[in-house]
Structure formats: C-alpha cells, structure tokens
Amino acid sequence: MFPETSRCVTAALSPFSQTALWKDLSRCSVTHGPALCCHQPRRHLSVSRCLTAKAPPPPRSPREKVHIPGLEMVTYADRMHFVPGLAKPVSPQWERSYKDPRFYKSPPRHEMPLYKEKPCYIFNQRSNILEGVRQALWLTKTKLISGLPPQLLMAVEDPANQIPDQDERVQNAIKHARFWDTTEERPNKDNTALLTNLLHLCATLKCSHPATSRRTLAEEYSLAASWSRGEDLFQVRGRNGLLHNCMDPLPAVSGREEVAETAAHALESFYPVSPTIDLHKTQEYRENVNCTGFRADFPYPHAHTVYFLDGADTRYKLNREQFRAKMLMFTFGNALARAHILYGSVLDCPITVQAVGTNGRIFQFLVFQLNTTDLTGDHGVKNQVWLEGDVMLYDFAKVRPRIKKKQVVVPAGLAGYKPETFSKFLALYLHGAV
Amino acid sequence: MSGCHEPWPENLTHGSFVHTEAVVKEPNYPPILPSLTAKSKSARQRQVVEHVNKICAAPLAEKLSLVTRIQWKKYVVYPQTFARNADKWYQHLTKTTYIPGLPEKFRSPESPEKTTEKEGSESAAAPAAGLDIDDEAFAVIRDLVTQIILQEHWHTKKHTPFLYRRQELLVGPFLRNLVTELTFTLAKFNPLFRLCSLDINPQVNFYWRRGQRIIPRGHRKGRQEPTRFQIDDHPNCQIRITEQLPQFAQMEAFYDAEVPEITVSPDKMPLFKRQYDNHIFTGAKLPDPARYGHTQFHLVPDQYHRDQMAKRGHSDHVEVFLRANAMASLFAWTGAQAMYQGFWNHEDVTRPFVSQAVITDGNFFSFFCYQLNTVALSVETDANNPRKNALWGTESLRLYESVKDGEVLGLDDGVIRLLISFLMNKP
C-alpha cells in the first residue's frame, strides 16, 4: 500500500485500539471457524467502520421455473444478447459424439445395464464384518471345530516328512525376514518375506516328496463365487493373496458319517444383528458369477492352500477375529467356485481347501470342507471348518533389548521360538502329498 | 704374501655367514615417524596410513562400518540407464573387460560356439548332454517352463495393465514363479539349493572409489579428491548360497585384457552426485549364513523394453543396456560379497568371486557371468594393479515365439539348456 496511508493508519490507531483490533479479529475467527484464521487481516483504512468480517450470505436456491406445456417462451436467442423481460434460452443437452473418459457422467442407478431390483451382498477383501467368525459361519452354513484335524498333524511327526535341521533353518528364516532383509537397523513392517521364506523351506522337500511338484503358486488371481442364503443373494469377490493350486484334489478330512451328523447341528444365531451387516450391499451386480480366476483348461484346477497376509495392504486394518472370518469366507468362495465349475450343481464328494493367515508372527490355520452347495435353508448337511487361531511362531524379535528398571526383560534378537507352529504349517503343506 | 695378511675385520668376513640367518639387532631408538597431528603433508600421509591400518586390523562388521562411515558427495550409478554407450563407461568405472560368449563350462558339448538356435535333430538326440541331469528330468523341466508361461499369459485372468506397468503385472510374477520352480526342482541335482536363500525383490548396494579429480572451486580448491560411486540395485529375485562358486578362469589370464579408458569426467555420461548413507549390502546382513551369490534375475522395465526402444529409434541400444545392467549389478553384488569376507580397497581379494545373472523382458533372455578379480580400484591401489575383472555375456535369446490358444509356439530348448546349466553351477 502507499506509505502515506499506512502512516495514517498507524497514527490513527492508538495503542489501546490496536489491542481491540486484534481481539475483534480473533473473536471473528472463533465465531466463523478456523478457515478465517488463515486469511489475511483486512486493511481497515477507515476507523469508524465495523471491524468484524461478515459471513457471506447463504446462496439462495434458484427460483423454480414452471414449464407450462403448449406455451412457448419468448427468448432472446434470436437477439443474441440479453434483453430484460425475455426468457433465457434453454439449449438442448449437448452430447459428445466420441467417448472421452475425463468427462464421462455415469447414468443413474436404475438405468445401469447390470441393475437389478433385488440387492446382493458382496464380501470383498476389505470387509470388516461385525460378528467375525460367527457371521461367516452363518453365511456359509458351516460347523466350527476348533483345532486342526489330528490325522494331518500325525503326518509331520514322521522324521521323513521333516526338513533336515528344521528348527535352525526356520529360525534363520525368521531372522532373515525380521532383521537381515534390509540395510536399515530397524526391520521394515512388510511381512511377505517371512511367508516367502517359509514356503521356500517347504519347497526344498520337492526332492523327497514328488507329489508336491504337482502344484503351482499363483500370486494374483480374481475370485468370484455366488450363492443364495434364505432370500438374500451373497457373493465373494476379490483378489486376496497367494494360492497354491494342485493337479489332484485334496482328500476329504471327515468321513460320510461325520458329514451326515452335521445335519443335526444348529447354526449359531446372533439376533438382533442381521447376518448381512457390514457386507457391501449393491443392486448392480452380475448374477450367478462363479470364477476361480483361471481358465477352464488350467492344468491345476484344484485349490490346495490359500495364504493370507494381514497388514499387507495399509489402507485397511482387520482385527484377528475379522481376519479369521475373511480367511473363512475366501476359502469357502474358492471351494464353492470350484464346486460349481467342476461338479455342477450337485456335489458328489466333499471339496477340501486349506488356508493359512499370518501377520508375521501370529498364524491362523484353517481347513474347510465343502459338503453341500445347497445353502438356501438352515437344515440339512452343513459344511465343516477346522480352525486353529492365534498360534504364535515366536514371542519377540527385537533389535534392541527391552530394559525395564535396569533389568533386561526381553533380550535382543529372536526370543521364544515355538517349533510346533512350523510343524502345523508343514502339515498343511504336505497334506495330500504324503 | 702370507706374512702381511692383516686380520680381516669381523663384521666383513663372509663364508660361514651364507647359511646362517641374519642377526636381528634390536634398534636402540624408536623409528622416526612424521608427526600425526602437525599441519603438514607428511602428517596427513601418516594419518591416512594409520587409518588404513586401523581398518585392516578391525573385525569384520566394524571394518564395513569404518569404510562406509563418512558421507561424501558421490556419483549414483544406475544399472538400468538410458545413457548411450553405458557399457563402455561402466567397464571403465569397474575395471571390467567384456568377453562376448560364455565361459567354457557353459558352451554346448557339440559345437565350440555358444548355443544360440540349436537344430531340432541335434537337441532331440541328447537334450540333457553336458548337464548333470537326465533326459527325463529335462523333459519335466521343459513341461514346467511351458506350464509357467501358459499360467501367466493364458490361464490366469488379468486386467488390462496400466501405462508402463505391463512388465510388473505380467512378467514379474512369471519370472518369480519360474525361478522358484526351477530352483527347487533342480535341488535334487544341485545340493547347494537345499540350503540356499531365495530373495524376492532384494536390495544390493555397493560403494567404491575410482579415479580422482581436482576440486575446481571452494575452500579445498586445487586439491585432489577421490571420485566415489554408489550402486543401489533391485533385482527381481536372486539366489544366495552358503559356498562359493568356482572361478571361471585364472586371474592372471586377464592381465593383458583391454579395458576402455575414459578420460572425461563421469558427469558427461550423465551421472549425478548425491550424498546419503553409503551402503554395502549383498541382499542380507552379515550374520546371514548364505554369504555368497549364485544367480541374479533382472527384469527389463517397461521404459527400456525393446518395443519402446524401437519406437524411439534406439534398437541398437538394447544390447548395450543389457550389458551395462549386468556389469553394474554383478560388480556390485560380487564386490559386496568380497567385502563381506573382509577384502576391501587396500586388502585385495585372494580368490576370485564369481556370480551369474539372467536379464529378461519375459521373452528374450540374456545370460551373463562375472568374475571379480580385484576390489582395489582407487588411485593409490590401482597404480600397480594388473588385475582386471571380467564379464562374459550373450546376446538376447528368444525363449518362445508366442502363446496362442493355450499353446506355446516355438519354445527354444537351447535357452532352457542354458538356464539349467546356469542353475546347475556348483563347486
């Protein structure tokens, strides 16, 4: 501004009125919100003017234009300029003759090609369902059995089915994933390294167990499975993690009698919470979509194990209960998609799929057996799931020791290694190959 | 004249002293050394000598940290670079000689030349000849390779890749799958792989000095400053083993080899200077038992894919890019392995360090072998150092023609043979 006016301002404002000036400005910022704090203080060149900044008047809704059919409005379109008294010309909606993705406007819901009246509830890899495993059990009509099937674990007790120097090599794998993988002093939060190392360790058994070479690992695959439960439609969709595919199907874990006994089991209800809570409700979906992520002539059609990584995607976080529910839903989705594609609508023999989920330290093991694809009612044969959750591989892996009151509480390095966890991992890996 | 024979002084008599050891006399006074703290050139020289001795005497972990302790501005060398004639530059910076073709052990037994396109009849007769595996295993591996190609390009449903992310979506998983499956299938024949460590997307870093320049301006103007370089590489995957691979050729064989000399400053390449932490890293820290390298697998990124290069009219640069990539990556890896064993600039390697690399863009494969004969590349140590490092390499070889209707057309057995022979390399 001009130096004379600024001098006038400072001369006019006495020291007392200056404080009043700042107080008023701060008051008006409090009343009108923090957005005004960062705006430049207005230049108050007139002393007698009101100092508080007024909020702008709210925008008025435009006047409703009534269209009387048959009555043509006289517009100033021909005059090519505004004429008071004449109506504003309304031009027809212009549509681009070509397709430009920057200016695409999606049609309203009911005009979309996939719109359906009946809503569908979709479970994807970000779903964080309220009731966790209970809700997943109800949705998939499954009976829960805690603990892994004992016949699986018996196979690993045989030394022929173990890796030579197993404990030392697993501990090296953990140390590599947690300490040695990076130039930084502190390990990175990424836990894919541990799962990869453990899978490589198991793969060294290929020489002694040739049946394990009839498998392949798929990194990214898009799953889709749909079913109806009661009156609602449900779908499982998404890309969730690693998948071991196998040429041969996994053997059924429980026999016919046990499967028939599940018909007597009653599904746990969590009324008044609806089973569709936290699922993505949508009315635009493809009906009866069942896709394993691979083409029909894939030489490895059967799913063996699905590996889930907790915390791989930083955009969402799941609690352990919800993570187990996600594992169950996606394992069920894999089994169901394959049931529809390989066996049609009637399931001859049960389909077994396994799942392993980890956050780097804590493992969740799951074996799912699909006994029926008839999920509409609550009666009849149920599916079965053996779930063992919250199994720790080791207690602590710290770079610096934790010292409380000058006593070492947790030493540096790997502490509290538990060999049973890797035995279970290996048991699930070798299931079907032993 | 026997009478005028004077007694010979004792300290000058010879004869019986020939077979006795020299008498070591304890010095009466301590050695006269230049000062350590004076502001003089000799004091500075003595400080440097003391520092070098301190590093030589230090234990391994401390040695590495002492070498990389102080941060200075250094040239950051990118293995995958757009620069023209990058291979000549990197040959000069790493003192490497390039030998077209592969070493003796990888050449096919039928013909002395390297295996490029083998005739169908020759390969059908003895596909696994020269390798330590039987024909049945070769057939199994051939089927495995076909399955992996089909899985990524035909069977798995993939969305359309975004711009410049095609390699990451399609070829990255294929390469990782291929390496994992081949490594653990060949573990039956190569016992090294039962104890190996297969890293996915690891880090490889190396820091070294080569050459010097006169500081042009500033308070240190006119003084000599060593030029420092740093490589930060990210191969797609690599195999690290617990034992060292045997050398491809004698160190002395390369004394007369040609290494291009470039007198111009590295700024002209272009190389740019930055200052940050100096890292020397093979892929895992020192305590890891798998300290030696076996093979690295690199992926050609979208920007340097041969189709993109052809669009820009740089088709002749494709091979140069691959060579430069292999040279820088393998020098960094072998150099880091040597430093993990305690060899550094002033303590040169006593045995050559050997590693291999395969660079691919999904269809074309190039094979490289590197032998590190010397780490002493700085001005003081390079003056009388006749040793040179060596890189062997092939041109790009096509693995298959195309994938059509669930079939892989034109699968080349020669490339599969080379891949297997690379992986079967063991001491």
Side-chain angles (χ1 to χ4, degrees):
Chain A
M1 295 300 292
F2 301 110
E4 300 91 57
T5 36
S6 61
R7 261 185 264 129
C8 285
V9 166
T10 46
L13 287 172
S14 66
F16 300 103
S17 63
Q18 243 181 7
T19 45
L21 176 66
W22 288 122
K23 259 199 234 168
D24 286 326
L25 275 179
S26 61
R27 195 193 334 134
C28 73
S29 64
V30 162
T31 46
H32 297 290
L36 278 180
C37 289
C38 37
H39 87 257
Q40 290 280 335
R42 290 224 325 246
R43 308 245 169 212
H44 299 282
L45 302 171
S46 157
V47 197
S48 52
R49 218 172 124 180
C50 175
L51 295 173
T52 49
K54 276 193 188 148
R60 294 184 197 160
S61 50
R63 188 163 52 104
E64 225 182 88
K65 288 190 181 139
V66 179
H67 175 68
I68 302 167
L71 194 69
E72 221 181 83
M73 304 292 282
V74 181
T75 64
Y76 53 78
D78 300 328
R79 304 276 200 103
M80 302 290 276
H81 62 93
F82 174 70
V83 172
L86 295 185
K88 187 171 175 182
V90 176
S91 39
Q93 189 74 14
W94 174 73
E95 300 240 337
R96 233 175 229 97
S97 55
Y98 56 92
K99 191 175 137 186
D100 191 340
R102 294 178 300 164
F103 303 107
Y104 169 72
K105 276 211 160 71
S106 54
R109 286 234 141 137
H110 50 270
E111 280 175 30
M112 286 195 179
L114 294 177
Y115 177 76
K116 285 152 187 87
E117 290 291 337
K118 189 170 178 186
C120 175
Y121 299 92
I122 298 186
F123 186 96
N124 55 30
Q125 63 263 36
R126 296 183 63 153
S127 301
N128 189 346
I129 51 182
L130 178 72
E131 288 289 327
V133 178
R134 277 202 305 178
Q135 186 173 355
L137 291 173
W138 191 93
L139 286 172
T140 56
K141 199 176 165 191
T142 311
K143 177 182 172 191
L144 172 70
I145 304 156
S146 34
L148 287 176
Q151 64 262 37
L152 272 186
L153 302 171
M154 269 171 18
V156 197
E157 283 162 26
D158 185 7
N161 293 337
Q162 288 174 10
I163 301 167
D165 294 326
Q166 186 170 301
D167 288 335
E168 193 196 322
R169 298 197 60 196
V170 174
Q171 284 177 312
N172 274 344
I174 300 169
K175 284 179 195 168
H176 176 261
R178 287 304 307 267
F179 303 130
W180 303 332
D181 200 25
T182 168
T183 47
E184 313 291 320
E185 199 194 307
R186 277 276 172 82
N188 43 7
K189 298 277 180 173
D190 188 19
N191 55 12
T192 49
L194 179 66
L195 191 63
T196 329
N197 287 345
L198 293 179
L199 280 173
H200 290 156
L201 263 183
C202 297
T204 53
L205 284 174
K206 260 193 197 178
C207 357
S208 47
H209 295 74
T212 50
S213 33
R214 290 169 66 80
R215 295 186 197 163
T216 182
L217 198 64
E219 278 184 26
E220 291 274 316
Y221 70 104
S222 305
L223 176 71
S226 50
W227 72 101
S228 67
R229 188 107 167 79
E231 292 145 0
D232 302 314
L233 288 171
F234 293 96
Q235 283 188 9
V236 168
R237 299 275 208 121
R239 264 180 273 168
N240 60 293
L242 299 175
L243 174 64
H244 246 136
N245 286 306
C246 194
M247 283 189 190
D248 321 304
L250 272 174
V253 178
S254 68
R256 282 183 187 273
E257 299 81 29
E258 269 187 65
V259 167
E261 276 169 23
T262 58
H265 171 76
L267 290 171
E268 204 181 332
S269 158
F270 36 93
Y271 182 84
V273 174
S274 158
T276 58
I277 195 171
D278 284 331
L279 292 176
H280 172 53
K281 179 180 171 187
T282 173
Q283 286 177 296
E284 297 88 37
Y285 57 92
R286 261 189 247 273
E287 261 185 328
N288 289 331
V289 53
N290 281 300
C291 165
T292 53
F294 305 97
R295 274 188 212 247
D297 54 348
F298 191 42
Y300 304 87
H302 305 277
H304 187 271
T305 319
V306 195
Y307 295 96
F308 293 85
L309 284 164
D310 194 12
D313 201 338
T314 45
R315 290 174 293 181
Y316 57 93
K317 255 171 104 167
L318 292 175
N319 286 335
R320 294 213 203 119
E321 184 68 14
Q322 275 74 28
F323 180 59
R324 283 193 284 270
K326 172 180 161 182
M327 281 169 64
L328 179 54
M329 293 299 292
F330 272 97
T331 323
F332 168 77
N334 270 300
L336 191 69
R338 277 163 178 85
H340 282 303
I341 290 172
L342 295 174
Y343 299 108
S345 50
V346 178
L347 201 57
D348 293 327
C349 54
I351 297 182
T352 317
V353 183
Q354 297 170 151
V356 176
T358 174
N359 74 344
R361 186 170 74 95
I362 299 178
F363 280 74
Q364 332 277 349
F365 299 109
L366 194 150
V367 180
F368 183 83
Q369 181 169 313
L370 186 77
N371 297 321
T372 170
T373 50
D374 173 30
L375 302 159
T376 331
D378 278 345
H379 45 268
V381 167
K382 316 267 184 311
N383 306 316
Q384 288 164 300
V385 69
W386 289 261
L387 178 60
E388 190 161 342
D390 292 340
V391 188
M392 285 203 290
L393 183 58
Y394 55 89
D395 284 330
F396 298 100
K398 297 186 89 64
V399 172
R400 280 186 236 135
R402 182 188 285 178
I403 298 175
K404 291 272 184 208
K405 293 186 183 169
K406 298 188 185 174
Q407 299 275 330
V408 175
V409 176
V410 179
L414 186 63
Y417 167 66
K418 291 174 176 52
E420 309 84 43
T421 316
F422 183 71
S423 306
K424 289 176 190 160
F425 186 90
L426 193 58
L428 286 188
Y429 183 86
L430 287 176
H431 185 207
V434 160
Chain B
M1 307 288 269
S2 56
C4 4
H5 177 70
E6 280 179 11
W8 200 249
E10 276 184 16
N11 56 342
L12 293 177
T13 44
H14 307 283
S16 57
F17 280 71
V18 171
H19 296 293
T20 53
E21 289 170 17
V23 171
V24 176
K25 258 177 72 177
E26 280 293 322
N28 290 329
Y29 300 99
I32 300 170
L33 292 171
S35 157
L36 202 54
T37 50
K39 200 178 167 189
S40 65
K41 283 183 201 159
S42 49
R44 183 81 195 103
Q45 278 169 14
R46 192 180 157 207
Q47 281 168 10
V48 167
V49 167
E50 295 275 317
H51 187 62
V52 165
N53 291 340
K54 178 177 156 195
I55 297 179
C56 291
L60 194 47
E62 218 187 299
K63 199 185 261 195
L64 279 178
S65 74
L66 279 172
V67 168
T68 55
R69 191 168 62 96
I70 305 179
Q71 286 185 12
W72 290 103
K73 276 224 163 191
K74 56 194 175 180
Y75 286 109
V76 182
V77 175
Y78 290 98
Q80 294 178 329
T81 172
F82 54 82
R84 308 288 310 176
N85 294 326
D87 60 339
K88 296 274 182 304
W89 279 98
Y90 287 173
Q91 276 187 279
H92 167 66
L93 295 180
T94 60
K95 205 179 177 191
T96 314
T97 171
Y98 175 67
I99 304 149
L102 287 176
E104 288 291 336
K105 60 156 66 172
F106 295 123
R107 287 188 209 151
S108 66
E110 284 97 11
S111 57
E113 286 95 41
K114 59 169 170 55
T115 57
T116 41
E117 295 295 327
K118 290 189 67 173
E119 298 299 328
S121 55
E122 272 181 29
S123 59
L131 306 169
D132 289 333
I133 62 174
D134 45 359
D135 292 342
E136 200 189 307
F138 183 82
V140 162
I141 289 175
R142 193 174 187 280
D143 286 333
L144 190 65
V145 170
T146 324
Q147 287 304 334
I148 295 171
I149 296 172
L150 283 175
Q151 182 185 323
E152 288 305 327
H153 293 277
W154 177 253
H155 290 295
T156 317
K157 294 201 175 152
K158 299 211 170 178
H159 55 275
T160 337
F162 195 66
L163 185 66
Y164 286 137
R165 289 182 72 166
R166 191 169 185 276
Q167 297 285 89
E168 178 196 325
L169 178 75
L170 293 178
V171 186
F174 157 67
L175 189 59
R176 280 191 286 271
N177 225 354
L178 183 74
V179 172
T180 322
E181 297 288 328
L182 276 186
T183 310
F184 293 111
T185 311
L186 287 172
K188 199 160 76 172
F189 303 101
N190 191 348
L192 269 184
F193 287 158
R194 285 176 218 167
L195 299 169
C196 76
S197 174
L198 184 67
D199 306 327
I200 306 289
N201 202 19
Q203 236 182 338
V204 172
N205 306 87
F206 191 59
Y207 171 76
W208 79 103
R209 298 177 175 193
R210 177 125 169 100
Q212 62 186 3
R213 65 154 193 166
I214 298 171
I215 301 174
R217 72 191 70 76
H219 68 280
R220 299 179 64 214
K221 176 178 167 178
R223 295 186 180 89
Q224 295 283 357
E225 186 200 36
T227 340
R228 293 162 282 265
F229 299 91
Q230 167 88 42
I231 292 183
D232 296 318
D233 189 23
H234 294 273
N236 186 273
C237 47
Q238 68 183 21
I239 306 173
R240 277 178 303 113
I241 48 179
T242 44
E243 291 166 29
Q244 195 173 347
L245 285 176
Q247 62 186 24
F248 289 125
Q250 294 284 333
M251 276 203 262
E252 293 78 25
F254 303 108
Y255 279 13
D256 300 322
E258 224 185 78
V259 171
E261 276 286 320
I262 299 182
T263 47
V264 194
S265 153
D267 288 310
K268 303 289 176 215
M269 188 196 152
L271 276 181
F272 300 99
K273 280 192 165 178
R274 260 195 292 154
Q275 178 176 324
Y276 55 98
D277 271 331
N278 307 320
H279 292 304
I280 294 178
F281 195 63
T282 56
K285 287 187 183 151
L286 264 177
D288 194 300
R291 290 194 184 180
Y292 297 99
H294 192 273
T295 319
Q296 263 184 351
F297 291 86
H298 291 265
L299 193 61
V300 174
D302 289 273
Q303 294 91 324
Y304 303 108
H305 192 80
R306 50 188 62 228
D307 302 332
Q308 288 288 333
M309 303 280 246
K311 266 194 219 172
R312 291 180 218 147
H314 295 330
S315 296
D316 53 332
H317 187 59
V318 170
E319 299 297 327
V320 171
F321 166 83
L322 295 169
R323 272 202 294 274
N325 189 1
M327 202 168 315
S329 302
L330 283 173
F331 172 74
W333 204 25
T334 45
Q337 288 168 47
M339 296 209 72
Y340 272 30
Q341 298 302 312
F343 302 110
W344 62 294
N345 194 14
H346 287 262
E347 282 179 313
D348 210 354
V349 296
T350 49
R351 56 188 193 274
F353 283 79
V354 148
S355 286
Q356 298 160 156
V358 178
I359 308 186
T360 172
D361 65 359
N363 201 346
F364 286 87
F365 281 70
S366 317
F367 299 87
F368 296 92
C369 303
Y370 196 88
Q371 178 163 321
L372 184 85
N373 296 319
T374 174
V375 206
L377 298 173
S378 71
V379 179
E380 312 87 45
T381 47
D382 193 35
N384 293 325
N385 188 9
R387 295 187 193 177
K388 297 179 175 82
N389 306 319
L391 173 75
W392 289 263
T394 63
E395 304 278 311
S396 338
L397 307 164
R398 199 186 254 269
L399 179 63
Y400 61 94
E401 293 283 336
S402 62
V403 175
K404 207 172 167 190
D405 293 333
E407 292 278 327
V408 173
L409 303 171
L411 189 66
D412 187 1
D413 279 355
V415 178
I416 301 181
R417 271 184 56 94
L418 258 181
L419 207 52
I420 297 174
S421 57
F422 254 53
L423 287 173
M424 287 296 296
N425 193 4
K426 53 183 189 265

